[in-house]
Amino acid sequence: MSRQKSRDTQVEVALRRALHGAGLRYRVHQRPIKGVRREADIVFGPAKVAIFVDGCFWHGCPEHATWPKSNVAFWKEKLERNRARDRDTDAKFESAGWLAVRVWEHEPVDVAALRVIDVVRRRRGTA
């Protein structure tokens, strides 16, 4: 598992390209809230929007999540902790005035990009 990429995945890079092509500018792999050790994949600072590109296995996608067949107790606990941390992250960002947007790795990039573009423009007041 240590060979699994945690940043600059194909989906993440494709999403960044689509957003950049739409004229949006952003920061990558930033911790937007001081004192909160949670790094967003894509950050739109002035709009206070943080994008998280979540893998189906690691974050428990409702469509594609699977449970490993060996060492079940370890993996169940690990994956449930990931889900709980995601919920906690969303709550912390919301309480700080940020919007956390979750994009699943299986989502078509163009659909995810349109969703992100819409959210960012609405938060900026340019929609």
Side-chain angles (χ1 to χ4, degrees):
M1 292 299 152
S2 65
R3 294 185 184 185
Q4 293 290 320
K5 288 181 79 168
S6 62
R7 54 174 41 203
D8 299 330
T9 62
Q10 285 183 329
V11 176
E12 187 182 323
V13 170
L15 179 60
R16 291 192 324 229
R17 280 190 185 128
L19 296 173
H20 191 273
L24 296 180
R25 300 301 178 257
Y26 48 81
R27 302 273 185 218
V28 295
H29 300 289
Q30 298 281 311
R31 291 182 181 167
I33 303 170
K34 289 185 190 280
V36 177
R37 295 188 59 205
R38 306 289 164 82
E39 182 178 284
D41 297 313
I42 303 170
V43 176
F44 296 94
K48 290 192 170 187
V49 177
I51 311 300
F52 296 89
V53 180
D54 292 341
C56 291
F57 174 76
W58 294 107
H59 297 272
C61 168
E63 292 181 39
H64 301 108
T66 59
W67 293 103
K69 296 191 181 0
S70 62
N71 207 0
V72 176
F74 168 81
W75 284 108
K76 183 170 176 58
E77 182 182 329
K78 166 75 174 152
L79 298 176
E80 288 299 329
R81 274 195 325 258
N82 287 353
R83 291 177 182 173
R85 187 180 59 245
D86 290 345
R87 288 188 299 271
D88 181 59
T89 298
D90 292 349
K92 285 182 179 187
F93 274 62
E94 184 178 340
S95 68
W98 284 74
L99 176 63
V101 176
R102 302 244 168 220
V103 174
W104 290 107
E105 71 177 343
H106 70 265
E107 278 187 73
V109 171
D110 55 340
V111 173
L114 287 175
R115 186 162 54 100
V116 171
I117 291 165
D118 181 53
V119 167
V120 170
R121 288 186 176 155
R122 276 191 284 123
R123 297 273 299 208
R124 287 180 177 168
T126 59

